Amino acid sequence: TARDTTAIAPAIRQAVQAVHPQLFVGLNTVGEAMNKNIAKERMVAAISGFFGLLGLALACMGIFGVASSTVAQRARELGIRRALGAGGWSVIRESLRETLVVVAVGLVGGAVAAYVAVRLAASVIADLLFGVTATDAANLVASIVVMLVVALAACTLPAIRAARIDPLICIREE
């Protein structure tokens, strides 16, 4: 019908009841029938999306924790470099460079491992994917960019704190 299906449903029920009073009439729209048919796929997609975001959040927390801890452990060294004449930006730049090299190696290794794992599992999950492939480059690149941004923030904050440390305090502690 071109009209609203909920408005026409009572008339259809009355017409069927007039012909056969004992007959049960259940009416569904095509949209409702389609939603019932793909409910399982939607649930799997929602759960997969949740666990994907949870995994990304855990990976970001791990990267943030390790990177900020690494830079924080080097606070004395960075303070001594400042006492020997290094500028604040050079200390921050050196700290970022060293930590981001380790993060980049980890991200490349993780991306390769993820690609291999997805290729091995592609036959299993291929029927669950709609509109994307198992090796969707956009998702992989987005994850890598998010982790790089988190690693950059994790390195920058402690490095700035370490660059602000008074060099005399670091020398006295040594």
PDB file of all heavy atoms in Angstrom, residues 37-56:
ATOM      1  N   ASN A  37      15.137 -10.588  10.274  1.00  0.00           N
ATOM      2  CA  ASN A  37      16.057 -11.482   9.570  1.00  0.00           C
ATOM      3  C   ASN A  37      17.522 -11.119   9.798  1.00  0.00           C
ATOM      4  O   ASN A  37      18.385 -11.993   9.763  1.00  0.00           O
ATOM      5  CB  ASN A  37      15.760 -11.489   8.067  1.00  0.00           C
ATOM      6  CG  ASN A  37      14.530 -12.292   7.741  1.00  0.00           C
ATOM      7  OD1 ASN A  37      14.101 -13.122   8.527  1.00  0.00           O
ATOM      8  ND2 ASN A  37      13.952 -12.035   6.584  1.00  0.00           N
ATOM      9  N   ILE A  38      17.825  -9.847  10.010  1.00  0.00           N
ATOM     10  CA  ILE A  38      19.232  -9.459  10.168  1.00  0.00           C
ATOM     11  C   ILE A  38      19.584  -9.095  11.615  1.00  0.00           C
ATOM     12  O   ILE A  38      20.636  -8.522  11.867  1.00  0.00           O
ATOM     13  CB  ILE A  38      19.595  -8.290   9.226  1.00  0.00           C
ATOM     14  CG1 ILE A  38      18.778  -7.046   9.538  1.00  0.00           C
ATOM     15  CG2 ILE A  38      19.469  -8.686   7.781  1.00  0.00           C
ATOM     16  CD1 ILE A  38      19.254  -5.812   8.806  1.00  0.00           C
ATOM     17  N   ALA A  39      18.734  -9.473  12.546  1.00  0.00           N
ATOM     18  CA  ALA A  39      18.997  -9.156  13.954  1.00  0.00           C
ATOM     19  C   ALA A  39      20.290  -9.814  14.434  1.00  0.00           C
ATOM     20  O   ALA A  39      21.073  -9.194  15.158  1.00  0.00           O
ATOM     21  CB  ALA A  39      17.821  -9.592  14.821  1.00  0.00           C
ATOM     22  N   LYS A  40      20.529 -11.057  14.029  1.00  0.00           N
ATOM     23  CA  LYS A  40      21.748 -11.767  14.445  1.00  0.00           C
ATOM     24  C   LYS A  40      22.991 -11.057  13.911  1.00  0.00           C
ATOM     25  O   LYS A  40      23.969 -10.860  14.643  1.00  0.00           O
ATOM     26  CB  LYS A  40      21.709 -13.206  13.954  1.00  0.00           C
ATOM     27  CG  LYS A  40      22.929 -14.006  14.330  1.00  0.00           C
ATOM     28  CD  LYS A  40      22.839 -15.418  13.770  1.00  0.00           C
ATOM     29  CE  LYS A  40      24.115 -16.183  14.032  1.00  0.00           C
ATOM     30  NZ  LYS A  40      24.095 -17.492  13.395  1.00  0.00           N
ATOM     31  N   GLU A  41      22.959 -10.666  12.653  1.00  0.00           N
ATOM     32  CA  GLU A  41      24.110  -9.981  12.064  1.00  0.00           C
ATOM     33  C   GLU A  41      24.364  -8.636  12.737  1.00  0.00           C
ATOM     34  O   GLU A  41      25.505  -8.248  12.958  1.00  0.00           O
ATOM     35  CB  GLU A  41      23.896  -9.790  10.552  1.00  0.00           C
ATOM     36  CG  GLU A  41      24.060 -11.055   9.735  1.00  0.00           C
ATOM     37  CD  GLU A  41      22.814 -11.938   9.738  1.00  0.00           C
ATOM     38  OE1 GLU A  41      21.770 -11.524  10.310  1.00  0.00           O
ATOM     39  OE2 GLU A  41      22.873 -13.041   9.191  1.00  0.00           O
ATOM     40  N   ARG A  42      23.298  -7.927  13.070  1.00  0.00           N
ATOM     41  CA  ARG A  42      23.464  -6.647  13.771  1.00  0.00           C
ATOM     42  C   ARG A  42      24.079  -6.848  15.146  1.00  0.00           C
ATOM     43  O   ARG A  42      24.919  -6.068  15.580  1.00  0.00           O
ATOM     44  CB  ARG A  42      22.123  -5.938  13.913  1.00  0.00           C
ATOM     45  CG  ARG A  42      21.696  -5.267  12.653  1.00  0.00           C
ATOM     46  CD  ARG A  42      20.494  -4.398  12.896  1.00  0.00           C
ATOM     47  NE  ARG A  42      20.131  -3.745  11.654  1.00  0.00           N
ATOM     48  CZ  ARG A  42      19.039  -3.069  11.478  1.00  0.00           C
ATOM     49  NH1 ARG A  42      18.191  -2.933  12.470  1.00  0.00           N
ATOM     50  NH2 ARG A  42      18.779  -2.511  10.321  1.00  0.00           N
ATOM     51  N   MET A  43      23.639  -7.903  15.843  1.00  0.00           N
ATOM     52  CA  MET A  43      24.192  -8.177  17.160  1.00  0.00           C
ATOM     53  C   MET A  43      25.679  -8.519  17.060  1.00  0.00           C
ATOM     54  O   MET A  43      26.497  -8.025  17.836  1.00  0.00           O
ATOM     55  CB  MET A  43      23.436  -9.318  17.833  1.00  0.00           C
ATOM     56  CG  MET A  43      23.915  -9.591  19.255  1.00  0.00           C
ATOM     57  SD  MET A  43      23.112 -10.980  20.026  1.00  0.00           S
ATOM     58  CE  MET A  43      23.733 -12.316  19.050  1.00  0.00           C
ATOM     59  N   VAL A  44      26.029  -9.346  16.098  1.00  0.00           N
ATOM     60  CA  VAL A  44      27.441  -9.706  15.902  1.00  0.00           C
ATOM     61  C   VAL A  44      28.253  -8.465  15.557  1.00  0.00           C
ATOM     62  O   VAL A  44      29.364  -8.277  16.068  1.00  0.00           O
ATOM     63  CB  VAL A  44      27.581 -10.798  14.813  1.00  0.00           C
ATOM     64  CG1 VAL A  44      29.026 -10.978  14.401  1.00  0.00           C
ATOM     65  CG2 VAL A  44      27.008 -12.108  15.314  1.00  0.00           C
ATOM     66  N   ALA A  45      27.704  -7.596  14.724  1.00  0.00           N
ATOM     67  CA  ALA A  45      28.410  -6.360  14.352  1.00  0.00           C
ATOM     68  C   ALA A  45      28.585  -5.448  15.553  1.00  0.00           C
ATOM     69  O   ALA A  45      29.657  -4.870  15.756  1.00  0.00           O
ATOM     70  CB  ALA A  45      27.652  -5.638  13.240  1.00  0.00           C
ATOM     71  N   ALA A  46      27.560  -5.320  16.366  1.00  0.00           N
ATOM     72  CA  ALA A  46      27.657  -4.461  17.551  1.00  0.00           C
ATOM     73  C   ALA A  46      28.680  -5.014  18.548  1.00  0.00           C
ATOM     74  O   ALA A  46      29.496  -4.263  19.089  1.00  0.00           O
ATOM     75  CB  ALA A  46      26.294  -4.328  18.215  1.00  0.00           C
ATOM     76  N   ILE A  47      28.646  -6.315  18.767  1.00  0.00           N
ATOM     77  CA  ILE A  47      29.603  -6.927  19.697  1.00  0.00           C
ATOM     78  C   ILE A  47      31.021  -6.823  19.154  1.00  0.00           C
ATOM     79  O   ILE A  47      31.958  -6.511  19.896  1.00  0.00           O
ATOM     80  CB  ILE A  47      29.209  -8.392  19.981  1.00  0.00           C
ATOM     81  CG1 ILE A  47      27.931  -8.427  20.817  1.00  0.00           C
ATOM     82  CG2 ILE A  47      30.325  -9.142  20.695  1.00  0.00           C
ATOM     83  CD1 ILE A  47      27.340  -9.806  20.978  1.00  0.00           C
ATOM     84  N   SER A  48      31.184  -7.062  17.858  1.00  0.00           N
ATOM     85  CA  SER A  48      32.513  -6.949  17.249  1.00  0.00           C
ATOM     86  C   SER A  48      33.034  -5.522  17.335  1.00  0.00           C
ATOM     87  O   SER A  48      34.209  -5.299  17.635  1.00  0.00           O
ATOM     88  CB  SER A  48      32.467  -7.397  15.788  1.00  0.00           C
ATOM     89  OG  SER A  48      32.106  -8.739  15.695  1.00  0.00           O
ATOM     90  N   GLY A  49      32.172  -4.561  17.056  1.00  0.00           N
ATOM     91  CA  GLY A  49      32.571  -3.164  17.173  1.00  0.00           C
ATOM     92  C   GLY A  49      32.957  -2.797  18.585  1.00  0.00           C
ATOM     93  O   GLY A  49      33.954  -2.100  18.815  1.00  0.00           O
ATOM     94  N   PHE A  50      32.184  -3.286  19.563  1.00  0.00           N
ATOM     95  CA  PHE A  50      32.505  -3.010  20.964  1.00  0.00           C
ATOM     96  C   PHE A  50      33.864  -3.585  21.338  1.00  0.00           C
ATOM     97  O   PHE A  50      34.694  -2.894  21.943  1.00  0.00           O
ATOM     98  CB  PHE A  50      31.424  -3.586  21.881  1.00  0.00           C
ATOM     99  CG  PHE A  50      31.797  -3.549  23.338  1.00  0.00           C
ATOM    100  CD1 PHE A  50      31.779  -2.363  24.037  1.00  0.00           C
ATOM    101  CD2 PHE A  50      32.195  -4.709  23.984  1.00  0.00           C
ATOM    102  CE1 PHE A  50      32.139  -2.323  25.368  1.00  0.00           C
ATOM    103  CE2 PHE A  50      32.558  -4.683  25.317  1.00  0.00           C
ATOM    104  CZ  PHE A  50      32.524  -3.487  26.016  1.00  0.00           C
ATOM    105  N   PHE A  51      34.101  -4.845  20.987  1.00  0.00           N
ATOM    106  CA  PHE A  51      35.373  -5.453  21.344  1.00  0.00           C
ATOM    107  C   PHE A  51      36.541  -4.857  20.563  1.00  0.00           C
ATOM    108  O   PHE A  51      37.656  -4.782  21.062  1.00  0.00           O
ATOM    109  CB  PHE A  51      35.323  -6.974  21.186  1.00  0.00           C
ATOM    110  CG  PHE A  51      34.618  -7.659  22.317  1.00  0.00           C
ATOM    111  CD1 PHE A  51      33.451  -8.355  22.094  1.00  0.00           C
ATOM    112  CD2 PHE A  51      35.096  -7.573  23.607  1.00  0.00           C
ATOM    113  CE1 PHE A  51      32.785  -8.966  23.137  1.00  0.00           C
ATOM    114  CE2 PHE A  51      34.444  -8.180  24.661  1.00  0.00           C
ATOM    115  CZ  PHE A  51      33.275  -8.886  24.426  1.00  0.00           C
ATOM    116  N   GLY A  52      36.285  -4.417  19.335  1.00  0.00           N
ATOM    117  CA  GLY A  52      37.326  -3.723  18.576  1.00  0.00           C
ATOM    118  C   GLY A  52      37.714  -2.418  19.253  1.00  0.00           C
ATOM    119  O   GLY A  52      38.903  -2.108  19.401  1.00  0.00           O
ATOM    120  N   LEU A  53      36.716  -1.637  19.673  1.00  0.00           N
ATOM    121  CA  LEU A  53      37.005  -0.378  20.378  1.00  0.00           C
ATOM    122  C   LEU A  53      37.639  -0.637  21.741  1.00  0.00           C
ATOM    123  O   LEU A  53      38.525   0.109  22.165  1.00  0.00           O
ATOM    124  CB  LEU A  53      35.722   0.440  20.532  1.00  0.00           C
ATOM    125  CG  LEU A  53      35.179   1.047  19.249  1.00  0.00           C
ATOM    126  CD1 LEU A  53      33.844   1.741  19.505  1.00  0.00           C
ATOM    127  CD2 LEU A  53      36.173   2.014  18.636  1.00  0.00           C
ATOM    128  N   LEU A  54      37.207  -1.698  22.410  1.00  0.00           N
ATOM    129  CA  LEU A  54      37.820  -2.048  23.693  1.00  0.00           C
ATOM    130  C   LEU A  54      39.288  -2.421  23.501  1.00  0.00           C
ATOM    131  O   LEU A  54      40.155  -1.989  24.266  1.00  0.00           O
ATOM    132  CB  LEU A  54      37.061  -3.208  24.347  1.00  0.00           C
ATOM    133  CG  LEU A  54      37.596  -3.680  25.691  1.00  0.00           C
ATOM    134  CD1 LEU A  54      37.440  -2.582  26.746  1.00  0.00           C
ATOM    135  CD2 LEU A  54      36.875  -4.945  26.126  1.00  0.00           C
ATOM    136  N   GLY A  55      39.573  -3.189  22.453  1.00  0.00           N
ATOM    137  CA  GLY A  55      40.960  -3.550  22.155  1.00  0.00           C
ATOM    138  C   GLY A  55      41.804  -2.337  21.825  1.00  0.00           C
ATOM    139  O   GLY A  55      42.947  -2.211  22.273  1.00  0.00           O
ATOM    140  N   LEU A  56      41.240  -1.410  21.048  1.00  0.00           N
ATOM    141  CA  LEU A  56      41.953  -0.182  20.711  1.00  0.00           C
ATOM    142  C   LEU A  56      42.211   0.653  21.966  1.00  0.00           C
ATOM    143  O   LEU A  56      43.307   1.185  22.145  1.00  0.00           O
ATOM    144  CB  LEU A  56      41.168   0.621  19.678  1.00  0.00           C
ATOM    145  CG  LEU A  56      41.822   1.903  19.183  1.00  0.00           C
ATOM    146  CD1 LEU A  56      43.122   1.598  18.451  1.00  0.00           C
ATOM    147  CD2 LEU A  56      40.866   2.664  18.276  1.00  0.00           C
TER     148      LEU A  56
END
